[in-house]
Amino acid sequence: EGCQDINLDGFCDGPYFFNHGVDYFPFVEENGWELSYTDTFFFDNQDPEFEIILGKWKKRNHQNSYNGNARFIQQGIGLMSVGWRVDETIIPGNYSVYVWKFKNQYQNLIASNAKYSVVHSTGTSNWIEVDQTTTRNEWIQLGNFTFDDSSRQGIVLNDNANGYVIADAVKLVYN
């Protein structure tokens, strides 16, 4: 289906609804004379692809979270973690990987160095630090990675940080 990109910023001017939710800022790609949606996959902390690997990640409702709530945990030493398994859901290929970060009233208690790692078809990335204290709602890109269905693959977040760590949603955009 087509979409309008009137200001030519690379995003559709309206939301895109699909089987995993809604993207309020979907990317577009040139396809002949019309713009069309790219293959984008979203995984929330309430989806079956989300897993608490270890620890007591509490759930809290928040208006700026991706689908109304997010998980969080106090800072730790990296033993407590969560993950979003993507290998059984997405189309195999290369993806830009993003994590959702949102503004909340506790910014001074949130980690400025939340650590994510991407387990992909050829290995595991180094820890990628994301500043969750910034005062904007936004998708933060972790990088580009190739995924297939050969093994367990996805995005992992742990508690090794300098404040509370928030686990909300991830987005994969097919390249």
Side-chain angles (χ1 to χ4, degrees), residues 100-161:
W100 180 247
K101 183 211 60 68
F102 62 92
K103 180 181 177 180
N104 67 71
Q105 63 271 32
Y106 304 108
Q107 293 302 130
N108 60 321
L109 303 174
I110 306 299
S112 65
N113 62 345
K115 292 178 180 60
Y116 292 85
S117 182
V118 180
V119 180
H120 50 92
S121 64
T122 59
T124 303
S125 73
N126 291 326
W127 291 106
I128 303 163
E129 290 189 5
V130 171
D131 184 354
Q132 294 183 333
T133 67
T134 58
T135 58
R136 293 177 40 194
N137 299 325
E138 61 186 325
W139 289 103
I140 304 292
Q141 185 173 8
L142 299 182
N144 295 315
F145 303 92
T146 301
F147 298 96
D148 61 23
D149 57 3
S150 66
S151 62
R152 286 182 71 94
Q153 297 166 39
I155 296 83
V156 177
L157 171 64
N158 74 27
D159 68 339
N160 184 14

Side-chain angles (χ1 to χ4, degrees), residues 9 15 23 63 73 109 111 138:
D9 62 357
D23 182 0
Q63 66 185 15
I73 196 166
L109 303 174
E138 61 186 325

Side-chain angles (χ1 to χ4, degrees), residues 16-67:
Y16 175 55
F17 299 91
F18 53 95
N19 63 343
H20 274 79
V22 61
D23 182 0
Y24 291 101
F25 304 102
F27 290 108
V28 294
E29 61 184 12
E30 193 70 32
N31 183 11
W33 288 105
E34 73 180 78
L35 294 168
S36 63
Y37 295 103
T38 58
D39 292 315
T40 303
F41 297 88
F42 293 82
F43 303 96
D44 189 34
N45 73 87
Q46 301 177 89
D47 289 335
E49 293 83 3
F50 179 79
E51 178 181 348
I52 295 176
I53 299 167
L54 192 60
K56 293 188 181 200
W57 292 73
K58 298 177 184 175
K59 187 187 285 189
R60 174 85 27 103
N61 292 338
H62 197 281
Q63 66 185 15
N64 293 334
S65 64
Y66 182 72
N67 267 335

